[in-house]
Amino acid sequence: MPAQPSLTTEFVSPSPETHARLADFTTCPRVLLISAAALVVGLISTLAAHALSWLISVITNLAFYQRWSSLPATPQGHHLGLWVILVPVIGALIIGLMARFGSEKIRGHGIPEALEAILLGRSFIQLKVALLKPLSAAISIGTGGPFGAEGPIIMTGGALGSLFAQRFSLSPAERKTLLVAGAAAGMTAIFATPVAAVLLAVELLLFEWKPRSFIPVVTAVSIAAVFRVVLLGSGPVFSILAHTPASGTEMACAALVGLLVGFGAGLLTLLVYGFEDLFQKLPLHWMWWPAIGALIVGIGGAIEPRVLGVGYEAIHTLLRGEIMGAAVLGLLLAKAFVWSAALGSGTSGGVLAPLLLIGSSLGAALAPWLPAGDASLWALVGMTAMMSGSMRCPFTAMIFAAELTSDYHLLPALMLGSVTSFGVNVLLMKRSILTEKLSRRGQHITCEYSIDPFEFTRVQDVMDREAPTIPAHLPLQEYAARIAQSDDPLSKRQATLLLDDQHRLTGIITRGDLIRALQHPEADSHTVADAGSRHLIVTYPAEPLQAALAKMLDHDVGRLPVVDPATPTQVLGYLGRAAILSARQRLHHEETVHPKS
């Protein structure tokens, strides 16, 4: 019999005390450094939001009143007559040139582009995008485009966060955090809605709920909320008389409004992408599409001036219950049509403010048919439901509406309307108005967040308790013969554990090791210990499956011996790829197989 190999096995694994250090969260002190960076990013994004608001006002005054002024202005009071039709067209022509010769990434409403940068671009955004996006948005909105500033500022704030992160040695996850921190800070600076901005980051941008990203985002949003008061003023954007808490009848009506607005949100999404499909069929370069969409905007603005520009004043009027009857219906149809045409043309501008206007118009239009409440109440619920259904962000929508108006008594009604609309769209529409654009580019996004089953499954839950073992002194040729026999259990194994005479773990041999060893001239005299490896990567029964999988990936191995933490040479089981996948299969079965009634 060959000599027993010396026991010089090297166990490469965290110490058994590692399990004692496992915690509910994996956040490390580095989050403090990222939070400090987020503080700077939040301030920069707030300044960018202020600059964008200033630029929109300047361009609006120049385009519609031929004066240099940075005072807030709306297109509704112009005296251009039918010449107003040309104003959006001129702005769109400029944007088309900027997109073609500057950067095509300035096209669109900003949030899908931010999602694309996070998911596919490793959170890298170019400097020229950070400069051209707000400029193109200001030109679009300032010349009457029916858009909001929030999408562009989300993209701009995200770009500034990404650029700041690129100046330092940060991981892609940390770049993503600063990108989202900048985006959320920009939204806070525009709307004075810090809590909703954080929720938007969680529901739409981060794709995770972890302290490592949540804490820096809150830091950026907090500094933006402070400086927003200094630069843009305090108080809610839409100050209205607070409602009393909703009655039972009003709660039922809120669910009904959410249901109907949910269907409206689905139709609006179809309308936007229907226009996009029409523009795709035009025998013209896409550079000219925004001008064609702007022509529709100009004609709509000549008929109904309130469809031009951001529309904050029109939203505020609806929330005060000051527009009723045919006027509401006309505003609803005109805004939905011109905004869909303009957005489908690929110009630059945001979706949030138009959705608020369309939703509040639809809610106010339903008011006469409801047995309780007034037009102001249902305009607010409709606004919330439209945002929730279109963007698939129910919690953001309800908190956003409450912060915009400081009407917190209505939170239960807003929540019910928001979730009802969300449910309608989730069941009827595969994609939201944001993700449909990415889907058309061949990019799939799942918006259902859950804990990875590998995180809460333990190795002992899936390991093979009958570990494949052989004596370490077994001749190599005998092992090869056993592998070749189909009825031998070892023939179905990719690796086998090696034990000494005291049944202690001394090594592991894989089929690759066997093939290489058989090519050696002295293979007949070798044992499996000579061919195998004593450089062992092991795992423990109570270790999370994710930690074991990380060891496999880090060390490029496909299986791990499961050992006793107190005695690493005592084998308790065997963890292979098939066992790991069984955890995923079990979760899939639990999630998708329904019991028969």
Side-chain angles (χ1 to χ4, degrees), residues 121-411:
R122 302 180 75 238
S123 300
F124 282 113
I125 298 181
Q126 297 173 314
L127 175 61
K128 64 180 178 180
V129 175
L131 297 175
L132 292 178
K133 185 63 179 181
L135 179 59
S136 65
I139 293 172
S140 176
I141 298 169
T143 56
F147 303 109
E150 72 295 324
I153 197 58
I154 284 174
M155 182 64 175
T156 302
L160 293 172
S162 173
L163 290 169
F164 185 86
Q166 291 172 42
R167 301 288 298 176
F168 304 95
S169 298
L170 300 181
S171 69
E174 291 167 338
R175 282 198 303 273
K176 177 186 72 173
T177 296
L178 291 183
L179 186 157
V180 176
M187 179 177 171
T188 299
I190 291 292
F191 287 113
T193 54
V195 179
V198 173
L199 288 174
L200 181 80
V202 172
E203 287 192 301
L204 291 182
L205 299 174
L206 283 174
F207 298 97
E208 66 180 30
W209 178 256
K210 294 183 178 181
R212 70 173 188 180
S213 52
F214 176 74
I215 293 172
V217 168
V218 170
T219 302
V221 164
S222 299
I223 195 68
V226 171
F227 279 91
R228 200 267 180 195
V229 175
V230 177
L231 297 174
L232 298 172
S234 61
V237 174
F238 304 127
S239 180
I240 62 174
L241 292 175
H243 292 83
T244 58
S247 65
T249 303
E250 288 172 336
M251 288 293 285
C253 291
L256 178 60
V257 170
L259 179 70
L260 296 175
V261 174
F263 283 107
L267 291 174
L268 189 63
T269 301
L270 294 175
L271 184 61
V272 168
Y273 288 100
F275 270 111
E276 184 174 290
D277 292 337
L278 288 175
F279 279 104
Q280 293 282 352
K281 296 177 182 178
L282 291 177
L284 297 171
H285 191 278
W286 56 257
M287 180 185 76
W288 305 106
W289 297 352
I292 298 173
L295 181 61
I296 298 174
V297 172
I299 295 173
I303 299 171
E304 172 53 88
R306 285 175 295 191
V307 305
L308 296 174
V310 176
Y312 290 160
E313 183 55 41
I315 297 171
H316 203 175
T317 304
L318 286 162
L319 293 177
R320 294 196 300 264
E322 297 174 2
I323 306 179
M324 300 291 290
V328 173
L329 190 59
L331 177 59
L332 166 64
L333 295 176
K335 185 71 175 186
F337 186 81
V338 302
W339 174 69
S340 298
L343 193 62
S345 72
T347 191
S348 181
V351 302
L352 194 47
L355 289 177
L356 299 182
L357 178 53
I358 295 168
S360 56
S361 298
L362 184 51
L366 293 172
W369 307 94
L370 298 172
D374 56 16
S376 172
L377 170 61
W378 303 124
L380 183 55
V381 174
M383 180 178 81
T384 307
M386 180 60 72
M387 179 180 173
S388 173
S390 299
M391 299 175 62
R392 311 284 177 89
C393 53
F395 292 108
T396 300
M398 71 184 202
I399 298 299
F400 185 68
E403 287 188 299
L404 280 176
T405 60
S406 289
D407 200 349
Y408 294 100
H409 286 157
L410 284 183
L411 262 178

Side-chain angles (χ1 to χ4, degrees), residues 369-571:
W369 307 94
L370 298 172
D374 56 16
S376 172
L377 170 61
W378 303 124
L380 183 55
V381 174
M383 180 178 81
T384 307
M386 180 60 72
M387 179 180 173
S388 173
S390 299
M391 299 175 62
R392 311 284 177 89
C393 53
F395 292 108
T396 300
M398 71 184 202
I399 298 299
F400 185 68
E403 287 188 299
L404 280 176
T405 60
S406 289
D407 200 349
Y408 294 100
H409 286 157
L410 284 183
L411 262 178
L414 297 178
M415 177 176 64
L416 186 57
S418 175
V419 173
T420 303
S421 176
F422 173 75
V424 168
N425 277 269
V426 166
L427 292 174
L428 296 182
M429 305 285 292
K430 290 184 178 180
R431 306 287 180 183
S432 73
I433 202 168
L434 304 179
T435 57
E436 175 65 23
K437 181 175 287 293
L438 297 180
S439 177
R440 290 175 172 228
R441 299 173 184 171
Q443 302 155 15
H444 170 69
I445 296 178
T446 180
C447 297
E448 295 182 337
Y449 307 150
S450 61
I451 298 176
D452 191 319
F454 292 171
E455 294 284 3
F456 58 79
T457 303
R458 303 301 165 192
V459 169
Q460 64 191 9
D461 298 331
V462 298
M463 71 180 187
D464 186 347
R465 298 181 182 276
E466 298 295 330
T469 62
I470 55 175
H473 55 76
L474 185 72
L476 190 64
Q477 293 291 354
E478 185 175 339
Y479 175 60
R482 292 186 61 180
I483 289 290
Q485 296 175 7
S486 59
D487 59 344
D488 193 303
L490 294 183
S491 66
K492 298 178 177 61
R493 299 289 189 171
Q494 293 296 321
T496 307
L497 307 183
L498 310 181
L499 306 181
D500 65 11
D501 289 337
Q502 284 75 44
H503 297 282
R504 294 177 301 184
L505 179 65
T506 65
I508 187 171
I509 183 170
T510 67
R511 292 198 177 197
D513 295 332
L514 174 62
I515 293 172
R516 285 188 292 271
L518 290 174
Q519 296 173 350
H520 195 277
E522 300 179 1
D524 291 343
S525 62
H526 284 178
T527 65
V528 289
D530 298 323
S533 172
R534 299 192 188 117
H535 186 78
L536 288 174
I537 317 298
V538 300
T539 184
Y540 308 114
E543 193 166 33
L545 198 55
Q546 179 60 40
L549 179 59
K551 292 178 185 178
M552 288 183 174
L553 296 174
D554 290 343
H555 297 280
D556 193 24
V557 296
R559 69 284 309 162
L560 298 174
V562 183
V563 301
D564 187 336
T567 311
T569 57
Q570 181 181 348
V571 177

